[in-house]
Amino acid sequence: GKGSVYVASNVPFIVHWPGVVVPSEDDLLVANIDVFPTILDFAGIVRNDLQLDGKSLRPILDGTGDFTDNWRWRKYLLLEYGYARAIIMHDFMKYVALRYPPDLQALKDSGVDIDHAGYLPGDRRHRYSGISKSQYPFYFDADQIYDLKLIGDERFATENLFGTGRRPWSEARLPEFMAEVSATLPHSFGEFTA
């Protein structure tokens, strides 16, 4: 999802490097943030002065790592866009939180179609105007939970699982985990603030 926290976890990552990459297929949670650390690792460059969000994929690509359990590789991915944050867990449960600041929330509550970046209708940067509710019926729900293993991506969600009681662990724990992850960031986000 460019410019969105949606549809960001169902894109295949394919690497072809004969003699180096061991052919395999898995469902490990990887992202574009892992490319740079991987290049550094294969080049033998150690940069302890850099704080990188990604991890080197080398143990996966060269077959030296044992990641029989997805959580051993990565526990979660954090996605951020505007006033939306999402956590995709190693088991592919996804929690999305949408938190506008009070002034934008007041406009939203009055019926103004504000996008996740806070742009108003008529602004050329406004995304999903008019189609968001049909394409993503839960786009403006403050809290959202999706089982990506079950549906593939949010475009196929027929319901937001948050508040249904069908995923009690996810409903209780994922917002707590969002708070834990948010506390490590240099910026605030709704009630998920350090």
Side-chain angles (χ1 to χ4, degrees), residues 73-93:
W73 163 249
R74 171 174 277 134
K75 190 174 179 179
Y76 69 90
L77 265 176
L78 172 68
L79 307 173
E80 300 179 283
Y81 179 73
Y83 300 109
R85 302 288 184 274
I87 293 276
I88 303 172
M89 300 302 293
H90 61 87
D91 61 357
F92 292 91
M93 290 302 293

Side-chain angles (χ1 to χ4, degrees), residues 30-79:
V30 301
N32 60 341
I33 59 174
D34 300 322
V35 173
F36 184 59
T38 303
I39 292 169
L40 290 177
D41 192 7
F42 273 111
I45 299 171
V46 177
R47 292 290 306 266
N48 294 327
D49 60 318
L50 296 177
Q51 182 178 358
L52 302 174
D53 293 327
K55 298 169 65 169
S56 173
L57 299 171
R58 186 173 187 167
I60 297 170
L61 298 175
D62 67 12
T64 60
D66 176 21
F67 303 109
T68 51
D69 294 313
N70 200 341
W71 65 268
R72 294 182 193 276
W73 163 249
R74 171 174 277 134
K75 190 174 179 179
Y76 69 90
L77 265 176
L78 172 68
L79 307 173

Side-chain angles (χ1 to χ4, degrees), residues 22-159:
V22 176
S24 67
E25 184 177 321
D26 56 55
D27 64 353
L28 295 174
L29 196 55
V30 301
N32 60 341
I33 59 174
D34 300 322
V35 173
F36 184 59
T38 303
I39 292 169
L40 290 177
D41 192 7
F42 273 111
I45 299 171
V46 177
R47 292 290 306 266
N48 294 327
D49 60 318
L50 296 177
Q51 182 178 358
L52 302 174
D53 293 327
K55 298 169 65 169
S56 173
L57 299 171
R58 186 173 187 167
I60 297 170
L61 298 175
D62 67 12
T64 60
D66 176 21
F67 303 109
T68 51
D69 294 313
N70 200 341
W71 65 268
R72 294 182 193 276
W73 163 249
R74 171 174 277 134
K75 190 174 179 179
Y76 69 90
L77 265 176
L78 172 68
L79 307 173
E80 300 179 283
Y81 179 73
Y83 300 109
R85 302 288 184 274
I87 293 276
I88 303 172
M89 300 302 293
H90 61 87
D91 61 357
F92 292 91
M93 290 302 293
K94 182 174 185 177
Y95 172 64
V96 178
L98 177 60
R99 302 293 188 269
Y100 294 112
D103 57 331
L104 290 179
Q105 187 61 52
L107 284 173
K108 173 79 180 85
D109 292 344
S110 72
V112 177
D113 187 19
I114 301 169
D115 74 2
H116 285 186
Y119 297 121
L120 302 173
D123 187 311
R124 64 178 179 75
R125 299 166 295 183
H126 186 267
R127 294 179 179 262
Y128 306 111
S129 180
I131 65 160
S132 62
K133 292 173 190 140
S134 62
Q135 187 177 12
Y136 301 112
F138 315 108
Y139 183 80
F140 292 108
D141 290 1
D143 295 283
Q144 306 163 40
I145 291 180
Y146 304 102
D147 183 342
L148 299 180
K149 282 274 193 189
L150 182 65
I151 61 173
D153 69 53
E154 305 88 341
R155 290 177 296 180
F156 305 114
T158 56
E159 70 178 317

